[in-house]
Amino acid sequence: MHTWYIGCDHAGLSLKRSLAALLQMMGDTVVDLGTNDEASVDYPDFGAAVGRAVVANPGSLGIVVCGSGVGISIAANKIKGVRAALCTEEYTASMARQHNDANVIAFGARVIGPGLAEHVLMAFRNATFLGDRHARRVSLLNAID
């Protein structure tokens, strides 16, 4: 079981809710950091909030959603210790965890449908960091901070 922190802007609200429900159905803990209505908000606030929560709670994972997934993933990646990956298909999601030890997955609600997003999330959730030669590379990424 995993603990997830999830956040979105107004464009990502519907997808955020469906992904959170899926994780809860699987027995995972989901902490919703907003937004919780369709009023226009600024995605950097929510990307950063999820990033801070993931870093503060080692072993947890995060999900960020905005219209394209780009802005909110940039915001999350501004937090030291976050490795957020914008994913649109299962292979990238799995590799993000296995090779890059990604701890946050980003989605673009205007780019990916909910059915595919659920499959992508499950690929991310079910993958584990392989370590070995990848650990050295992740250490190099962390040194950039």
Side-chain angles (χ1 to χ4, degrees), residues 45 53 103 121 126:
D45 296 334
N103 50 10
L121 178 58
N126 295 332

Side-chain angles (χ1 to χ4, degrees), residues 90-102 123-124 126-135 138:
E90 295 162 277
Y91 177 78
T92 301
S94 182
M95 290 298 103
R97 292 278 292 140
Q98 290 179 20
H99 289 194
N100 309 117
D101 200 17
F124 186 84
N126 295 332
T128 57
F129 183 50
L130 297 177
D132 194 39
R133 71 183 189 274
H134 306 293
V138 170

Side-chain angles (χ1 to χ4, degrees), residues 24-93:
Q24 290 169 332
M25 186 178 69
M26 299 195 69
D28 289 354
T29 299
V30 179
V31 180
D32 188 339
L33 300 178
T35 194
N36 293 306
D37 61 47
E38 294 179 357
S40 182
V41 294
D42 299 319
Y43 61 81
D45 296 334
F46 299 94
V50 168
R52 287 186 188 104
V54 168
V55 170
N57 297 282
S60 67
L61 297 168
I63 301 171
V64 293
V65 188
C66 70
S68 69
V70 175
I72 204 161
S73 66
I74 292 170
N77 276 319
K78 294 285 187 176
I79 306 303
K80 184 177 181 177
V82 170
R83 288 173 305 283
L86 174 57
C87 299
T88 58
E89 40 69 37
E90 295 162 277
Y91 177 78
T92 301

